[in-house]
Amino acid sequence: NAGVTQTPKFRVLKTGQSMTLLCAQDMNHEYMYWYRQDPGMGLRLIHYSVGEGTTAKGEVPDGYNVSRLKKQNFLLGLESAAPSQTSVYFCASTGGSTDTQYFGPGTRLTVL
Amino acid sequence: AQSVTQPDIHITVSEGASLELRCNYSYGATPYLFWYVQSPGQGLQLLLKYFSGDTLVQGIKGFEAEFKRSQSSFNLRKPSVHWSDAAEYFCAVKAAGNKLTFGGGTRVLVKP
């Protein structure tokens, strides 16, 4: 099993550009999450999904959109990137309420 | 709303010395608690978790944590630190919807 994978690993954008981050998991997990990590702030939840076709807002959803068209994939979109979105983005998945969240390796995004 | 506080941003410890990382949480119900470790440039790896039962939890890499409900704490300990333990450590509490709330992290530096 590959676990949780993220594409791409690094990306540099200019302000106003758009992009999509892809998260894939091969553990048949129902729940998937997108976090951003900024120094001193830990990880903050952007959006999450409790199953295929569902999405919900987390703590810091503004400026991001997500989609969960397939159970194994969870996409994070930035429609118009801003420098404040420079961060490291982590995807995670879990199978249920007592299960561990498994994290991907992260995507480092810089917005100039 | 739930919250997690890690009071120490940085800790420096000598190799072979003991380590204790503090974590305080705020959550209305019985908490599910986690400690994750993040090595530089890597994703998060689960060290240990507490759901119920014995309040002293053993994890990987020789770590343990003790849940103290009266103090709303879940401190992480290791009796003898190795240079490879240099990393950032995150405490987290699980809330409704299987969402994790993370503390700000504690960066551990290990002196030779």
Side-chain angles (χ1 to χ4, degrees):
Chain A
N1 285 355
V4 180
T5 58
Q6 293 182 231
T7 308
K9 289 185 169 52
F10 303 93
R11 187 71 186 267
V12 179
L13 291 178
K14 295 180 180 178
T15 297
Q17 287 185 319
S18 63
M19 77 162 295
T20 300
L21 281 66
L22 171 63
C23 175
Q25 54 93 3
D26 60 3
M27 296 173 282
N28 201 34
H29 284 167
E30 290 293 336
Y31 301 83
M32 296 186 74
Y33 310 83
W34 276 107
Y35 297 90
R36 60 177 289 171
Q37 183 181 26
D38 302 291
M41 304 186 74
L43 278 76
R44 292 180 292 167
L45 183 64
I46 304 171
H47 286 281
Y48 65 103
S49 169
V50 301
E52 181 178 324
T54 75
T55 63
K57 293 181 180 179
E59 181 185 354
V60 289
D62 294 342
Y64 305 95
N65 57 76
V66 288
S67 64
R68 183 100 180 267
L69 299 179
K70 294 183 179 180
K71 186 176 184 179
Q72 64 268 33
N73 295 338
F74 195 29
L75 278 64
L76 178 71
L78 287 73
E79 291 186 347
S80 180
S84 60
Q85 294 178 304
T86 294
S87 188
V88 181
Y89 291 86
F90 287 98
C91 177
S93 70
T94 185
S97 61
T98 59
D99 284 352
T100 301
Q101 281 194 20
Y102 294 91
F103 284 80
T107 295
R108 184 173 295 275
L109 175 66
T110 301
V111 183
L112 302 175
Chain B
Q2 66 279 357
S3 66
V4 177
T5 301
Q6 294 180 242
D8 304 303
I9 297 174
H10 293 100
I11 285 182
T12 300
V13 61
S14 296
E15 192 167 14
S18 64
L19 174 68
E20 182 167 12
L21 304 182
R22 296 184 290 165
C23 172
N24 294 100
Y25 69 90
S26 173
Y27 186 60
T30 300
Y32 290 173
L33 296 160
F34 303 80
W35 274 102
Y36 284 86
V37 61
Q38 184 182 32
S39 298
Q42 303 295 314
L44 277 71
Q45 180 184 21
L46 180 72
L47 283 176
L48 47 79
K49 60 187 177 183
Y50 170 79
F51 286 163
S52 64
D54 193 348
T55 56
L56 186 62
V57 181
Q58 301 297 321
I60 62 171
K61 304 185 180 187
F63 284 91
E64 65 178 26
E66 186 171 13
F67 170 60
K68 293 186 177 180
R69 184 185 300 274
S70 62
Q71 298 178 18
S72 297
S73 70
F74 188 55
N75 293 349
L76 182 71
R77 299 192 292 256
K78 185 169 184 177
S80 177
V81 170
H82 186 262
W83 63 266
S84 60
D85 293 322
E88 191 158 19
Y89 294 79
F90 293 95
C91 182
V93 63
K94 179 176 281 191
N98 290 330
K99 295 179 288 184
L100 288 181
T101 296
F102 286 85
T106 298
R107 187 170 298 278
V108 173
L109 304 176
V110 180
K111 294 191 301 184

